[in-house]
Amino acid sequence: MDWLFLFEVTLAGIGSGGLYALAGLAFVIVYKATKVVNLAIGEMLMMGAYIFFAFAAGLQWPIWLAVVLAIVCSGVMGGVIERLAIRPMLGESPISVFMVTVGLGSILVGLVELIWTADQRRLPEFLPTEPIFIGEAFISSKVFYGFWVAVALVAIVVAVFRYWRGGIALRATASDQGAAYAMGINVPRVFSLAWTASAALAAVAGIVVGAIGGLSSSMGVFGLSVLVVVIVGGLDSVVGALLAGLLIGVLEAWAGAYLGGEYKLLVTFIVLVAVLMLRPYGLFGTREIERL
């Protein structure tokens, strides 16, 4: 066996897994706060990348400004979605809310194709391009730096939601909405905060994914792997999303390298079925979770 090749493939998988973990964290934040399964997470990721493209390539604004504006605009989009599409559905059946997110994903794809067409596009180069070597193993510089962007952002988010007042309110609401109301927490505002933070995180993941593989209206397919990640890890588990993201990233890389690219999704869904058969609530999820 070529151990160097295996090591390089594993490093690439860990890099991709970091992005899965970041997008999975965006998913879990919404689920923990609102109990909504947001199937449009891939399309929200795509929308953030295209907003960045509009500022960086269309208007040719500085990259740092385009990134900040894309994150802000995506966060506002998340808050608007929660207020107009999700909040009116509170109290309805879970499948109804689930279908709203399915429709939301289709709407976002339609908007992208209406504004930018369905043609594939490239983002301006903003990540370093020098080859990265770990020992003798080569790893793409975009994957390498994308991974560390994901790690840094995950660390910041975990710290913010652990120590910031709004983060404490979100965790309290996630634990018990009734008790949160009794303690004077504005639960609807927490719902809005969760969707805003989730969309902002998805935008960062989308920008990095777009920098690596380009932009297209089919970027939402990335959300399928993210959905597998959060189900395997546990819909309400931050730790589960992070660890399952790395696991799925590595397994996809191995499958693509040794079996062929067409087997990557097959392998992830085999893992999904196996985990659901053994632990229907995910590796780190709570048993009370109700599956759709």
Side-chain angles (χ1 to χ4, degrees):
M1 177 181 290
D2 189 339
W3 293 105
L4 178 60
F5 178 71
L6 175 62
F7 185 45
E8 289 180 339
V9 170
T10 302
L11 288 176
I14 292 173
S16 300
L19 296 176
Y20 285 148
L22 180 59
L25 180 59
F27 185 105
V28 169
I29 287 174
V30 164
Y31 186 84
K32 282 179 72 70
T34 65
K35 294 297 183 283
V36 172
V37 177
N38 180 18
L39 201 64
I41 190 67
E43 286 72 24
M44 292 173 71
L45 176 150
M46 171 198 69
M47 198 69 187
Y50 270 97
I51 293 173
F52 170 76
F53 175 80
F55 288 126
L59 298 177
Q60 296 187 340
W61 288 0
I63 294 296
W64 68 268
L65 181 59
V67 170
V68 171
L69 290 176
I71 294 172
V72 171
C73 290
S74 296
V76 171
M77 177 189 70
V80 170
I81 288 172
E82 187 278 331
R83 187 66 183 86
L84 298 181
I86 303 301
R87 194 175 301 183
M89 297 298 295
L90 292 179
E92 301 295 335
S93 66
I95 191 64
S96 298
V97 185
F98 175 81
M99 291 308 299
V100 166
T101 68
V102 173
L104 173 63
S106 297
I107 290 172
L108 293 178
V109 170
L111 282 175
V112 163
E113 294 185 349
L114 181 65
I115 298 172
W116 291 284
T117 75
D119 297 336
Q120 190 165 9
R121 300 177 183 272
R122 297 292 302 177
L123 287 178
E125 294 289 345
F126 64 92
L127 292 174
T129 57
E130 296 80 7
I132 301 295
F133 288 90
I134 299 178
E136 296 183 358
F138 167 79
I139 181 171
S140 165
S141 59
K142 291 181 178 180
V143 173
F144 178 82
Y145 289 109
F147 172 77
W148 287 112
V149 167
V151 168
L153 198 57
V154 166
I156 291 171
V157 169
V158 171
V160 165
F161 282 99
R162 182 172 182 82
Y163 299 108
W164 179 50
R165 184 176 179 180
I168 295 172
L170 191 150
R171 288 190 288 119
T173 303
S175 298
D176 191 323
Q177 290 184 13
Y181 268 117
M183 294 299 293
I185 294 175
N186 188 330
V187 173
R189 185 175 296 174
V190 171
F191 288 176
S192 182
L193 170 65
W195 277 86
T196 299
S198 174
L201 287 176
V204 177
I207 292 170
V208 178
V209 170
I212 295 172
L215 303 183
S216 74
S217 58
S218 62
M219 281 179 68
V221 174
F222 186 86
L224 288 177
S225 293
V226 175
L227 186 62
V228 172
V229 164
V230 295
I231 293 177
V232 168
L235 286 177
D236 66 340
S237 174
V238 171
V239 173
L242 301 181
L243 295 181
L246 296 176
L247 172 65
I248 296 300
V250 170
L251 289 178
E252 283 192 352
W254 287 349
Y258 291 103
L259 300 177
E262 65 273 19
Y263 289 96
K264 292 170 67 174
L265 275 180
L266 174 62
V267 168
T268 59
F269 280 98
I270 288 175
V271 173
L272 173 64
V273 171
V275 169
L276 288 178
M277 290 177 65
L278 298 174
R279 294 177 68 89
Y281 42 88
L283 297 177
F284 298 91
T286 53
R287 294 175 180 269
E288 290 76 17
I289 291 178
E290 295 182 1
R291 298 291 178 184
L292 292 177

